[in-house]
Amino acid sequence: DIWMGTLSKTLSSCGGYIAGRQRLVDWLRHTAPGFVYSVGLAPPLAASALESLRILGAEPWRVAKLQANAALFLRLAREAGFDTGSSAGLGIVPI
């Protein structure tokens, strides 16, 4: 399995991550074009992502509020005639 995600947007940082078995990660690190000339995550960016995770764990109401705001936005956008495609009304709603 490959687990991948972003550290931007929700986690107040930039870049992303790929996690998997050590052999897979090593292979990607040494052969994938995006990794060959890249550098590690800067310490301040890692710290901001870690702090964001800490805040989300301590204040789960933030996620509920974001979901409620996104659902409201999606509903109002559709009522106004905007094409939101198959959006589920999560944190990002394409128009």
Side-chain angles (χ1 to χ4, degrees):
D1 291 341
I2 299 175
W3 288 78
M4 54 191 265
T6 180
L7 296 176
S8 59
K9 299 170 189 73
T10 304
L11 295 181
S12 314
S13 189
C14 74
Y17 65 89
I18 294 179
R21 295 182 187 267
Q22 188 65 50
R23 286 184 59 202
L24 172 66
V25 172
D26 289 342
W27 181 80
L28 288 171
R29 184 178 292 139
H30 297 292
T31 61
F35 292 112
V36 173
Y37 297 107
S38 68
V39 296
L41 190 63
L45 295 175
S48 68
L50 183 60
E51 182 62 13
S52 293
L53 288 171
R54 187 197 64 74
I55 291 169
L56 285 173
E59 302 174 12
W61 63 267
R62 292 177 179 271
V63 174
K65 180 67 174 170
L66 172 64
Q67 290 172 340
N69 286 345
L72 174 63
F73 177 80
L74 179 62
R75 182 177 59 80
L76 294 175
R78 286 181 175 162
E79 287 175 3
F82 288 101
D83 179 4
T84 59
S86 60
S87 176
L90 302 175
I92 297 173
V93 178
I95 293 184

